[in-house]
Amino acid sequence: MPVRQMREGSEQHIVIKPHLQNPMNGAKKVPRAVQNGKGSPPPPLSQQELPHNQTSPHARNKGRRRSRGGGRKCDQGDVLMRPIVTSGVENGSTMCGEKEMSYPTSSKSLSFAPRPGYGQVGTKCIVKANHFFAELPDKDLNQYDVSITPEVSSKAVNRSIIAELVRLYKESDLGMRLPAYDGRKSLYTAGPLPFSWREFKIKVVDDEDGVNGSKREREYRVVIKFVARANLHHLGQFLAGKCADAPQETLQILDIVLRELSSKRFCPIGRSFFSPDIRTPQRLGEGLESWCGFYQSIRPTQMGLSLNIDMASAAFIEPLPVVEYVDQLLGKDILSRQLSDADRIKIKKVLRGVKVEVTHRGSVRRKYRVSGLTSQPTRELVFPVDENSTMKSVVEYFQEMYGFTIKYSHLPCLQVGNQKKANYLPMEACKIVEGQRYTKRLNEKQITALLKVTCQRPRDRENDILQTIQQNAYDQDPYAKEFGIKISEKLASVEARILPAPWLKYNESGKEKNCLPQVGQWNMMNKKMINGMTVSQWACINFSRSVQDSVARTFCNELVQMCQVSGMEFNPEPVIPIYNAKSEHVEKALKYVYHVSTNKTKGKELELLLAILPDNNGSLYGDLKRICETDLGLISQCCLTKHVFKITKQYLANVSLKINVKMGGRNTVLVDAVSCRIPLVSDIPTIIFGADVTHPENGEDSSPSIAAVVASQDWPELTKYAGLVCAQAHRQELIQDLYKMWHDPVRGLVSGGMIRDLLISFRKATGQKPLRIIFYRDGVSEGQFYQVLLYELDAIRKACASLEPNYQPPVTFIVVQKRHHTRLFANNHRDRNSTDKSGNILPGTVVDSKICHPTEFDFYLCSHAGIQGTSRPAHYHVLWDENNFTADGIQSLTNNLCYTYARCTRSVSVVPPAYYAHLAAFRARFYMEPDLQQENGSSGGGSRATRAGGVKPLPALKENVKRVMFYC
C-alpha cells in the first residue's frame, strides 16, 4: 500500500495540583452559633477544623462549628464594607493575614451536610422511579490487577484477550470462576482464584483481518495478580446510614459486573449501551443516524442498592461506503465534479479519527483509522516503490497489486495510519465501520431529528424502560448469577409530595394584583409588571432582507403597545427611522445607529436597540451581542423574521418581559418575599448566588472554559441579578476567579474576584451587606463534589474576609444537577389529577426519600410543567449548610424561586440563579474575537492561550450590561 511520511505531532497537558496538607488538629468544643446573624460569625474555612464524618442527623452541626472568635457581631445596622489593601503579605496568606487553606489529602477529612430530616410540606402522593432494587451479594468480591504485554490501548481488544483467557482456563487455572473485567487494569471475581499471581500466554486473531481472509495471530503475555478484597460489610453499613463514607471501590465492582454481559452484546459508550437492533436507526442527515440504547448505573440509595435504567439515544455514523457518505455529507453529487477546498476541509474534519475497512480485497476487510485527506486528487498521487526512489502512481499500484480499477480518480485519497507514516486509500475502496459514535457538533437539522427520536411521552418511556429490564434478563445473566446479584423487575414506588405554587405579586394598577399559578404556568392578562420601566430613546435595525419597512414598523408598533399594556412607559417613536443593514456589515451598522442616535438626542444614551434577524443568521446574533455588550454598551433585543411575519400576543408578551428586565425592571415578585415571610431569607439581608462553568464542545482541544457567577441584588425581593463571566483553562471545572489577589505597584497586594465584586454590588444596590449566603452551583458531577466544595467555599471565605475583618456570613452550598438519569412517573397515568397536560408529574413534585442518598442532604424536584417528552427533575445536593435549613425550608425556597424566572410566565426546571449563570456562561462565548471562533460561526472558540501559557481574558462588559446579559 502507498506510504507517505508524516511529521510527528506533539501534545501538551495542563495539570492542576492543589496544595495538600493533612489536618491533624483534634476536635474542640465551641459554642454553637446562633441563627439570624447573631452570635460570632464562622471563621474562614482555613481556620475551621475539617470534621470527620458524622453518623447521626442529630450531629448536624458538628464539624461546621464556628470559632469563639473576637470579631464583632454582624447585624443589619452595620453596613460598612472596608476593603483591605495590604502590602508585604507573605505568599499563601489571605487579605486578613490568615494562612491560605490547604486541601485535605482525602475525602474523609470533610463531611457533607447530613440530612436534617424529611420534608412534610405539600400534598402527599406516590410516584414511580426508574430505579430497580438490587439485592446485595453474599459473596466475597476480589480484585486482581491485569497486565497485558504488549500494551493495548483498545478496550475491545483487551476484552477479547481476557475472554479468550477465560475460555481456555476457566475450568482449570481459574477454578471455575467467571470473572468480570473493566477492559483496562482490573479483574474481579466472586471468591478467590486458586492463585495470587499467575502468567498466561494468550493468542488472539487480529481484529483488522477478515473472517475468511488470511488471519494474523498475535500473542499476548497476561499477568493476573491479587490486589484486594472488597468490604461488603462497609457497603451494608453505608446503605443502612450507619457510616457516611461510601465504599466507592465496592460499588464500582458491582457496576462492572452488571455491565459485563451488556458490554459483549451492545456497543458500550460511557455508562450507556447502544445497538441498531434495539430500535430501527433513524437517519439524521449528512451521513448520520440515531441509535437507541439504554443507560445503566448502580447507585446507593435509602432503599439499598438501586439499578438506575433509562433510555438513551446517540448519533452514529452510518456504515456506508465512504463515497456515498461524503455524497450525503456535502449534499451534492461528487462523482462527476471536482471538490472545492471548502469541501475538502469539511470532509477532512468529519472523517479524521473515523475507522474504515477496505472493500477491494474480497473477504479480507482490514480496518484503519483515518488520519487525514490528501490535498491532491488520486490520479496525481505518486510514491516511491523501492530504495532507488522509483515512482509509481496510486492508480497503477491498485490496478497491479489488487486488480482494482479506480473509477473516481478525481477524488482525493484517505490518509490512514499513525503520525509517522500515512497510507493512501482511495475513497471508493473503503467503507465506514459500523458502531462509531459521532462526537462532533450536530447541526440544527440533525439536532431536531435526534430530538424527535429521543422525545418520548412518560408512559412510552416507562414501558421502554420496563421492556429493557426484561430483555436484559438479569436473572439469567451468568455474571449476575456468579456474583449473587439479584435485580427486581419492578419500578420503585416512592413517596413524594407536591409543593404548593407561590403567590406572585403584580402592580397595584392592574386588575389582578396577585396571581396563583396553575400547574406551573400563568399569563399577563389583566396584570401589570410590578416595576415597569421607561424606554424613551430606542432604535431598530433590520438585518432581514425579506422584511419590508412597513412590516418592520407594524411589528415595532405592536411590540411597543404590548410593553405599554404590560406596565411599561414606552415612547412609540424610535429616535431614528428603522435602519436596514446587511448581516456582513453588522459592526458598521451598529456603530452608525449608535452614533447617529446619540447625536440626535444631544448626547443622551440610546436605551434599547431592537434588531430583526434572519431565521438562519449564522454568526450574526453572536457578533451583535459581542459588539453591543463589550464595545458600545447597548442593551439589545433580537427578534427572528418568522416572529415578525407571524405576530402572536404570546410572543410579544414574552419579549416585553425580557425588555423590562433588561431595562432594570421587575416583572413579578413573590408575595412571601415582599411580606418578609421566607424562612432564613427574609429575616436578614441574604444574597443568592448562581454559578456554572461551560466547556468547549467535543473536538475543541484548546478553547477555554467559561465560568459565570450571578448574584441577587434586591433583597428581600430576590428577583434582580447581576452577573460576571471569565475565561479559564480548558475544561477546568473549578471557578478560578471567584477570589483573586494581585500586586499593584502603588497599592500593594489587592483583592478582587467575582464573589467580592458581587458582594460589593449587593451592598451598593441595597445599602446593606449580606449576612447570609446561599450558593447554587450548577454543572458539577458527583466525583467533583469534594474538590469543588473545598476550593470554592474557601474562595467565598476569602472574598468575604477581604472586605472586612471577621466578616464571614454563614454559607449554604448547593449543587444543582440536571445531567442525571432519574425519571419520575405518575403512579397512574390515567389519573388526570396526578399529571399535567403532557402526562408528566405535576410541577412542585419533590422526592427526598427511598431513591435519594442514604445519609446526605439531597432531593429531586420537578418544578416545571412538561411541554413534550418526559420531564427531568432537577437534583439538588446540599453539600454545606451553616444556615441550618430544614428539608422543607430549602425545598420550598428552591421551588418558589423557580417561579421568579424573568423571561416567561412559567415555572422553570432549574432554580433561576443557576439558570442565569448557565445562560451567562453560554453568552460569553460570543465575546471571543471573531478570528478565534469556529468555522461554522458558532460561539465556540479556538485557542486563546497567551504567550505565558495562560488564558486570554474575555473583553470587559460594560457596566449597564452586567445586570442583564443573561436575560438574552
Side-chain angles (χ1 to χ4, degrees):
M1 186 171 295
V3 174
R4 182 176 68 85
Q5 297 296 321
M6 294 182 68
R7 187 170 55 191
E8 190 168 0
S10 61
E11 189 175 316
Q12 283 188 330
H13 298 279
I14 297 175
V15 180
I16 297 172
K17 296 182 178 179
H19 301 291
L20 298 177
Q21 179 179 326
N22 208 0
M24 300 297 292
N25 295 332
K28 297 179 182 178
K29 292 186 178 180
V30 294
R32 179 178 173 179
V34 183
Q35 291 185 22
N36 301 340
K38 298 177 182 178
S40 299
L45 192 61
S46 54
Q47 290 186 348
Q48 286 183 297
E49 172 197 358
L50 294 175
H52 295 291
N53 291 307
Q54 305 298 326
T55 59
S56 168
H58 299 293
R60 173 172 170 67
N61 292 301
K62 292 180 181 178
R64 294 197 303 281
R65 294 169 176 159
R66 304 164 196 172
S67 69
R68 204 179 288 270
R72 54 199 174 85
K73 297 179 181 179
C74 297
D75 54 51
Q76 294 187 48
D78 181 12
V79 295
L80 293 176
M81 282 187 165
R82 298 190 298 274
I84 300 174
V85 181
T86 309
S87 60
V89 180
E90 292 180 1
N91 290 337
S93 62
T94 67
M95 296 302 297
C96 292
E98 297 148 351
K99 289 184 179 179
E100 188 174 358
M101 185 202 79
S102 297
Y103 298 113
T105 54
S106 78
S107 62
K108 292 182 181 179
S109 57
L110 177 71
S111 63
F112 296 146
R115 190 178 301 282
Y118 296 95
Q120 303 298 322
V121 173
T123 305
K124 293 184 178 180
C125 63
I126 299 294
V127 296
K128 291 177 288 187
N130 58 337
H131 286 243
F132 299 86
F133 178 69
E135 189 175 327
L136 259 176
D138 57 1
K139 300 184 179 182
D140 289 335
L141 304 181
N142 295 267
Q143 179 181 355
Y144 293 83
D145 179 74
V146 176
S147 173
I148 299 176
T149 310
E151 189 173 346
V152 179
S153 60
S154 167
K155 272 190 174 184
V157 175
N158 281 339
R159 288 185 185 280
S160 66
I161 295 168
I162 298 301
E164 179 67 7
L165 186 152
V166 172
R167 187 184 70 82
L168 294 173
Y169 297 104
K170 178 184 176 183
E171 296 181 5
S172 55
D173 295 55
L174 300 184
M176 295 301 294
R177 300 291 186 201
L178 181 62
Y181 177 52
D182 70 351
R184 293 296 186 199
K185 295 287 187 181
S186 296
L187 181 138
Y188 307 97
T189 62
L193 293 174
F195 56 85
S196 59
W197 184 96
R198 186 153 300 179
E199 179 180 318
F200 299 89
K201 295 290 181 65
I202 304 296
K203 293 181 179 180
V204 296
V205 177
D206 193 330
D207 180 55
E208 292 185 348
D209 284 326
V211 176
N212 300 319
S214 56
K215 300 179 181 180
R216 290 192 305 171
E217 268 193 340
R218 290 191 180 181
E219 183 175 270
Y220 295 91
R221 174 177 173 266
V222 181
V223 175
I224 298 176
K225 182 174 65 174
F226 176 77
V227 175
R229 185 171 290 109
N231 189 341
L232 286 178
H233 175 72
H234 184 185
L235 176 59
Q237 293 289 96
F238 172 73
L239 294 172
K242 296 179 180 178
C243 73
D245 196 25
Q248 294 297 340
E249 297 83 0
T250 306
L251 291 170
Q252 183 181 8
I253 293 172
L254 298 175
D255 199 48
I256 290 169
V257 169
L258 288 174
R259 295 170 58 82
E260 185 71 21
L261 186 61
S262 294
S263 295
K264 299 178 187 301
R265 294 171 56 192
F266 306 110
C267 174
I269 295 177
R271 290 186 175 272
S272 297
F273 300 93
F274 297 92
S275 171
D277 301 325
I278 294 176
R279 195 185 300 166
T280 305
Q282 301 293 312
R283 284 198 162 185
L284 303 177
E286 295 190 10
L288 302 184
E289 62 183 9
S290 68
W291 280 21
C292 287
F294 62 93
Y295 168 92
Q296 173 181 302
S297 176
I298 198 87
R299 300 189 62 79
T301 65
Q302 292 172 32
M303 70 177 183
L305 276 183
S306 161
L307 187 67
N308 182 202
I309 298 284
D310 192 24
M311 304 314 296
S313 293
F316 282 74
I317 303 173
E318 283 193 69
L320 300 170
V322 171
V323 170
E324 187 179 337
Y325 173 78
V326 171
D327 198 78
Q328 287 194 27
L329 176 68
L330 300 179
K332 60 185 180 184
D333 178 24
I334 64 168
L335 301 182
S336 57
R337 64 179 69 181
Q338 294 276 11
L339 295 179
S340 66
D341 289 341
D343 291 337
R344 196 175 286 106
I345 290 171
K346 185 174 183 179
I347 296 168
K348 181 179 179 180
K349 185 176 180 181
V350 171
L351 284 182
R352 182 180 290 156
V354 173
K355 189 177 284 189
V356 296
E357 60 182 5
V358 297
T359 58
H360 64 286
R361 297 178 61 186
S363 58
V364 177
R365 311 283 286 211
R366 288 205 65 182
K367 297 180 177 67
Y368 300 91
R369 198 170 293 278
V370 178
S371 58
L373 196 70
T374 62
S375 57
Q376 298 169 286
T378 303
R379 61 178 171 237
E380 297 178 11
L381 293 173
V382 294
F383 63 98
V385 293
D386 54 32
E387 295 179 355
N388 297 323
S389 296
T390 305
M391 306 302 288
K392 181 172 288 190
S393 72
V394 171
V395 173
E396 291 174 339
Y397 176 86
F398 274 84
Q399 182 66 57
E400 296 173 7
M401 190 73 178
Y402 305 111
F404 181 80
T405 302
I406 298 175
K407 298 178 182 177
Y408 310 116
S409 59
H410 65 287
L411 296 176
C413 273
L414 301 178
Q415 292 174 333
V416 297
N418 56 34
Q419 292 182 326
K420 293 182 179 179
K421 65 179 182 179
N423 300 322
Y424 294 140
L425 281 177
M427 284 188 182
E428 62 196 273
C430 300
K431 180 178 182 290
I432 291 172
V433 175
E434 186 181 55
Q436 298 182 80
R437 186 185 179 192
Y438 184 76
T439 58
K440 298 178 177 66
R441 181 171 183 163
L442 301 177
N443 62 36
E444 292 298 327
K445 289 183 178 179
Q446 291 167 336
I447 292 172
T448 301
L450 185 60
L451 287 176
K452 285 182 180 179
V453 176
T454 59
C455 186
Q456 286 183 290
R457 288 200 172 268
R459 181 182 295 183
D460 297 332
R461 193 182 197 99
E462 180 184 331
N463 290 336
D464 279 358
I465 289 171
L466 288 170
Q467 186 178 351
T468 297
I469 200 123
Q470 289 165 4
Q471 289 176 345
N472 286 352
Y474 295 100
D475 58 335
Q476 302 298 318
D477 184 336
Y479 295 95
K481 280 184 175 182
E482 172 83 7
F483 284 78
I485 304 173
K486 297 178 182 178
I487 305 295
S488 169
E489 291 191 350
K490 292 183 179 180
L491 291 159
S493 289
V494 185
E495 290 184 359
R497 291 168 290 114
I498 303 171
L499 301 179
W503 280 90
L504 302 176
K505 177 72 175 172
Y506 281 91
N507 196 287
E508 292 291 328
S509 63
K511 290 183 180 179
E512 289 188 34
K513 299 170 181 59
N514 293 335
C515 168
L516 182 63
Q518 301 297 316
V519 196
Q521 52 191 319
W522 64 103
N523 57 52
M524 287 296 293
M525 289 180 62
N526 300 322
K527 304 175 191 69
K528 289 188 183 293
M529 301 158 177
I530 192 164
N531 298 120
M533 298 303 289
T534 299
V535 178
S536 301
Q537 285 88 35
W538 63 279
C540 177
I541 298 185
N542 177 17
F543 288 102
S544 179
R545 296 179 181 178
S546 60
V547 176
Q548 310 238 338
D549 280 355
S550 59
V551 176
R553 280 196 300 270
T554 300
F555 174 77
C556 289
N557 291 337
E558 294 274 352
L559 180 57
V560 168
Q561 290 176 26
M562 178 58 74
C563 289
Q564 292 169 340
V565 169
S566 300
M568 294 182 67
E569 291 185 19
F570 209 115
N571 184 353
E573 293 298 325
V575 174
I576 61 173
I578 295 173
Y579 183 74
N580 296 305
K582 295 180 179 179
S583 299
E584 54 269 28
H585 299 150
V586 55
E587 184 169 5
K588 181 180 178 182
L590 289 172
K591 290 184 176 178
Y592 172 81
V593 169
Y594 176 78
H595 292 302
V596 170
S597 299
T598 303
N599 290 336
K600 192 165 184 180
T601 57
K602 298 180 180 179
K604 291 183 180 179
E605 292 289 333
L606 193 62
E607 297 167 342
L608 177 68
L609 177 71
L610 298 178
I612 299 173
L613 309 185
D615 293 332
N616 298 311
N617 55 73
S619 64
L620 174 60
Y621 177 83
D623 291 341
L624 185 147
K625 292 296 183 181
R626 173 177 54 80
I627 296 164
C628 284
E629 294 171 3
T630 65
D631 186 3
L632 302 177
L634 263 180
I635 306 298
S636 60
Q637 176 60 54
C638 296
C639 305
L640 293 178
T641 297
K642 61 183 178 182
H643 297 304
V644 174
F645 279 120
K646 189 179 179 180
I647 302 174
T648 65
K649 286 189 175 182
Q650 181 63 57
Y651 174 74
L652 293 177
N654 283 344
V655 174
S656 68
L657 294 176
K658 294 170 70 173
I659 290 175
N660 188 53
V661 293
K662 287 180 180 182
M663 301 309 298
R666 296 186 189 90
N667 295 330
T668 186
V669 296
L670 298 170
V671 169
D672 282 354
V674 293
S675 56
C676 295
R677 293 200 301 260
I678 303 178
L680 293 179
V681 171
S682 298
D683 53 347
I684 58 174
T686 300
I687 187 169
I688 301 182
F689 284 93
D692 189 22
V693 178
T694 63
H695 302 292
E697 63 192 54
N698 290 330
E700 285 290 333
D701 56 2
S702 59
S703 302
S705 293
I706 304 291
V709 180
V710 306
S712 59
Q713 301 288 295
D714 62 341
W715 181 85
E717 291 89 351
L718 305 176
T719 304
K720 296 170 72 172
Y721 290 82
L724 296 171
V725 293
C726 70
Q728 57 186 44
H730 178 73
R731 297 213 167 270
Q732 168 62 263
E733 184 57 46
L734 302 179
I735 301 178
Q736 300 299 292
D737 277 5
L738 287 182
Y739 175 74
K740 58 185 179 181
M741 294 186 297
W742 66 94
H743 186 80
D744 183 89
V746 178
R747 296 183 296 166
L749 201 60
V750 181
S751 295
M754 293 192 284
I755 294 291
R756 191 179 193 277
D757 290 349
L758 289 169
L759 288 171
I760 293 172
S761 178
F762 180 96
R763 161 70 178 84
K764 289 178 180 177
T766 65
Q768 303 183 81
K769 65 182 179 186
L771 299 182
R772 180 182 291 119
I773 293 174
I774 301 171
F775 196 93
Y776 287 99
R777 177 63 157 91
D778 195 7
V780 181
S781 64
E782 290 179 6
Q784 298 170 312
F785 278 4
Y786 281 101
Q787 189 183 19
V788 168
L789 177 64
L790 283 171
Y791 183 89
E792 296 184 4
L793 184 59
D794 184 57
I796 295 170
R797 293 278 190 238
K798 289 176 178 175
C800 293
S802 73
L803 291 167
E804 183 179 289
N806 301 317
Y807 173 56
Q808 288 297 323
V811 178
T812 296
F813 194 104
I814 308 159
V815 167
V816 188
Q817 293 176 305
K818 281 289 282 183
R819 292 186 178 180
H820 61 82
H821 287 269
T822 293
R823 300 292 184 275
L824 303 176
F825 304 100
N827 191 45
N828 181 3
H829 290 285
R830 295 178 182 176
D831 182 5
R832 296 295 182 185
N833 294 322
S834 63
T835 62
D836 59 23
K837 291 180 181 179
S838 66
N840 280 289
I841 55 174
L842 293 171
T845 300
V846 63
V847 169
D848 61 2
S849 63
K850 201 164 184 177
I851 61 171
C852 293
H853 195 279
T855 60
E856 294 170 9
F857 191 2
D858 72 325
F859 59 93
Y860 292 95
L861 173 63
C862 182
S863 52
H864 67 297
I867 298 176
Q868 59 180 358
T870 303
S871 296
R872 188 200 310 249
H875 183 226
Y876 296 90
H877 203 127
V878 183
L879 298 187
W880 192 260
D881 182 23
E882 293 169 334
N883 291 297
N884 301 322
F885 273 99
T886 63
D888 281 329
I890 197 66
Q891 290 167 12
S892 294
L893 171 64
T894 303
N895 184 60
N896 292 348
L897 287 174
C898 290
Y899 286 79
T900 65
Y901 185 65
R903 305 202 311 170
C904 61
T905 53
R906 299 177 66 95
S907 59
V908 289
S909 60
V910 174
V911 68
Y915 202 149
Y916 291 146
H918 175 78
L919 293 174
F922 185 79
R923 164 63 62 80
R925 291 212 170 269
F926 292 135
Y927 298 157
M928 297 177 184
E929 290 82 352
D931 59 318
L932 294 178
Q933 295 182 3
Q934 295 178 358
E935 294 173 4
N936 61 8
S938 72
S939 60
S943 173
R944 291 178 60 86
T946 63
R947 290 179 184 175
V951 176
K952 184 177 180 180
L954 296 171
L957 289 175
K958 298 297 181 180
E959 280 301 319
N960 62 327
V961 172
K962 291 179 181 179
R963 297 176 184 271
V964 301
M965 52 89 73
F966 43 82
Y967 292 126
C968 298

